Amino acid sequence: MKTIPLIEIKGIKKIYELGDSELEILKGIDLTVEEGEFIAIMGPSGSGKSTLMHILGLLDRPSAGEYRIGGQDVLCLGDYQTAQLRSKLLGFVFQQFNLLARLSATDNVALPLIYSRGRNRRERGEQLLGEVGLSDRTEHRPTQLSGGQQQRVAIARALVNNPKIIFADEPTGNLASVQADEIMRMLRELNDKGITVILVTHEPDIAHCADRIIHIKDGQLFSDEVLRPHAPKEAPVPLRKLNTAKPLVLPPAELAEHFGSAIRSVLSNKMRSALTMLGVIIGVAAIIAMVAVGTGAQKSIEKNLASLGSNQLMLRSAGRGFRGVSGSAGSISRITLDDIKAIAENKALVKYVDPQVSGSAQAVYGNKNVNTTVTGTSVNYAPMKNAVPVYGRFFTETENRKLEKVAVIGQTVATNLFGTENPVGKLIKINRKNFRVVGVLPLKGSGGGHDNDDVIVIPINTAMRRLLGNKYVSMAWIEGTSLEALGDAQDYVLQLMITRHRVPESQLDTSYSVTNMAEMVSALTSTTKTFGLLLGIIAGISLLVGGIGIMNIMLVSVSERTREIGLRKAIGADSSAILTQFLIEASVLSLGGGLIGILLGSSSAIIISKVANWLVLVSPMSVVMAAGFSAGVGIVFGFWPAKKASDLSPIEALRYE
C-alpha cells in the first residue's frame, strides 16, 4: 500500500520583484518528506535554503508550484486555516529565539495555546519547561536567561501544541559548541519520539546529526543524501480536522491575552503612553467641562424663564411716560390700570393680567436695613410667576383695593432682615412706612448677575399711591389661555392699546411693545444649545488631535514590534487576531485617557461652579458619551496601524530589523 507523504512539493519557485527586474531565489524545487524523518537542509548563503524552509513552514508563499501536507493542498487555504495549520501542526525554533521580552519563560512557552484555544496554559508551559530542564526558570524573563536557556524555551514553545513537524532555522547559530550539542541532542530525542524535524544549517557537523541531508545550490536541489534509512509511517496526518470554520467571537483566553498585552505595552513605556493619552485627556475633559457649563447655562435660563411662564406676553410702553410725569412724546404711550381692566375683558384669549410697577427702596427691621427692589403687582403675580409663598400667604384683592400696607418678601430679604426668625406677621419699614409681612416667596435663585430673591412684593395700588408715587403702570404681564392662542392675544393687546390711546400711524413703532415670551424662550434655548454644540465641537477638535497622536504612536509601536507580530503569526495568530490585538491596545490608550479626562473634566466643572458661582451640570449621558467617544477614537485612529500590522506576512515581520 502506497503511503501518503507528510510533505510533498513540486516545482516550487520563489521570485522577488526588484523594480523592473526579477530575482529568482528558488527555481523549481521538488521534494518529498516522510513522517518521522530528520532532515537537514544545507547550502551556501543566498542559495535559498532558508526561503525553502519558510515556504515549507507556511511562513511564506511560493510564486509558483504545488505544496501538499498529508495529501492536502495547503496553498489554496485562507489566512485563518493556514494560521491553524501553523498553530496545531507546525513548531518553529528560530536562530534569534524570538522570545517576547515582556513575558516570563512560562508565558512564552504557553503563548501558542492562545491561538489554538488550548486550556491549562500555565500548567502546560511549566510542564514543558521541566522537560527541557528549566523548571527552576519558569518565571524568568528572556533577558535573565543564557542563550542556551533561551533556545530551550523556544523548543518548549515549539512543542506546546504537540506538533507533527518542527522547523529549526539555524538553531545553534548563536550558541557555543556545548550549548549547540545540547540543543541537537534535544532535537534528536524529539525525532526519536516520532516528530518530523527539518533543520536548516550551514555547519556540516550539525547536519550530520540528521538522517538525511538536502543540499541547495543556486535555488535548485543539488543533492539528496540519505545517511540513515527511514521506515515510512502509514498513518496520514488528519488535516481535515484542522480546517475548521473561523469563530465569530474571540475566545475569552485570547481576548484576555490581547488586553494583557495592551496593558503591558502601555506600562512598559509609561512616559510615552502618558504623552499619547494627554490629547485624549484634554479633549474628554474639555467636552465634560464645556457640556456641563453649557447644560448648566441652559437649565439656568430655562429656570429663570419658567418663572415668567412660557405662554405669556410682556406689555411695555415704548415712550418716556411710564414713570411719574410724562413728556409730550411719551404721553400717548402709557399704560393705565384701566388699560389692564380692558385687556382682561377678553376671556377667550387672556387668562391673567398682572400690572407691575417697581422701584428701589430701603427696608428696615430693628437694627437691620437693606437696599432692595420693591415691586407693586396684583394678586395674579403668584399663579403667573410660580410665586405661591412657602411661608404665610399672598396678599388679597381686598387688601389691594383698600391700599393695605402688606408685603411678601423674597428669601434674600428675609435672611438679611430676620436671619432664622420667622418674618410672617412682623412689621418692617419700607422707605420709613410700616408694612406687615404676610408671606415669604419661594426660592428663585440668581440669573444674569441679578438676585431674583432680593425683592419685596406689595399690592400695586399701595405701591402707586402710598409708596412709589407712580401714575402709570411700568409693564404688564399677560398670560394667554393657551400657547396656540398667544399669537392672537399679542395682536389683540397691541391693537387694543393703539386704539385706546389713539396712537397715530407715525408713532406706531415707538408707542407700545408686546413681547412674546414663548418666542424668547425658544430663541434663548436654541442659542444655548448652539453655544453648547459649539463648545462640544471645540472640545471634539482636541479629541481629534489626541486621536492623531494615538495613531502616530501606534504606528511607532507596530514598527517596534514587527518581529513580535511575525512570531505571533508563526505560532498560529491569523490576521484578524493581530488586528484585534492592536485595536485593543489603541482602545486601552484612548479609553484610559478618556477615564482620566472624565475625572479631570468633572472636577473642573465643580471648580468652575464654585469660583464663578455658575450652575454646571455633569450629566451621566455626557460621561457615557465621552467614554464611548474616547474608545471610538482609539478604534478609528488605531485601525490603520492595526491593519498595517495584520497585513504583514510572517516572514516579512520576522526579518524586520
Side-chain angles (χ1 to χ4, degrees), residues 468-490:
L468 300 178
N470 293 55
K471 296 177 62 176
Y472 303 107
V473 174
S474 303
M475 69 175 68
W477 290 94
I478 300 117
E479 182 172 332
T481 53
S482 67
L483 193 59
E484 293 75 15
L486 206 57
D488 293 337
Q490 183 176 5

Side-chain angles (χ1 to χ4, degrees), residues 173-188:
N174 290 330
L175 303 177
S177 57
V178 175
Q179 295 172 326
D181 292 342
E182 184 180 1
I183 295 302
M184 292 308 301
R185 178 182 57 78
M186 293 180 65
L187 292 176
R188 181 79 257 178

Side-chain angles (χ1 to χ4, degrees), residues 425-455:
K426 301 296 192 303
L427 290 177
I428 62 174
K429 288 185 179 293
I430 304 176
N431 287 352
R432 294 178 292 182
K433 294 182 180 179
N434 290 329
F435 279 76
R436 179 165 49 88
V437 178
V438 296
V440 179
L441 295 170
L443 186 66
K444 293 290 185 179
S446 301
H450 175 68
D451 186 357
N452 296 316
D453 298 309
D454 189 8
V455 64

Side-chain angles (χ1 to χ4, degrees), residues 368-379:
K368 297 179 181 179
N369 67 87
V370 295
N371 291 316
T372 185
T373 299
V374 173
T375 298
T377 185
S378 69
V379 294

Side-chain angles (χ1 to χ4, degrees), residues 130-185:
E131 292 180 7
V132 298
L134 293 177
S135 57
D136 59 338
R137 295 287 189 271
T138 56
E139 297 306 317
H140 285 59
R141 295 194 176 188
T143 54
Q144 299 171 307
L145 302 173
S146 67
Q149 290 173 332
Q150 290 185 60
Q151 195 63 288
R152 279 190 279 169
V153 172
I155 292 174
R157 180 182 61 198
L159 296 173
V160 74
N161 278 320
N162 297 313
K164 291 286 185 180
I165 310 169
I166 287 182
F167 293 96
D169 186 6
E170 300 279 4
T172 61
N174 290 330
L175 303 177
S177 57
V178 175
Q179 295 172 326
D181 292 342
E182 184 180 1
I183 295 302
M184 292 308 301
R185 178 182 57 78

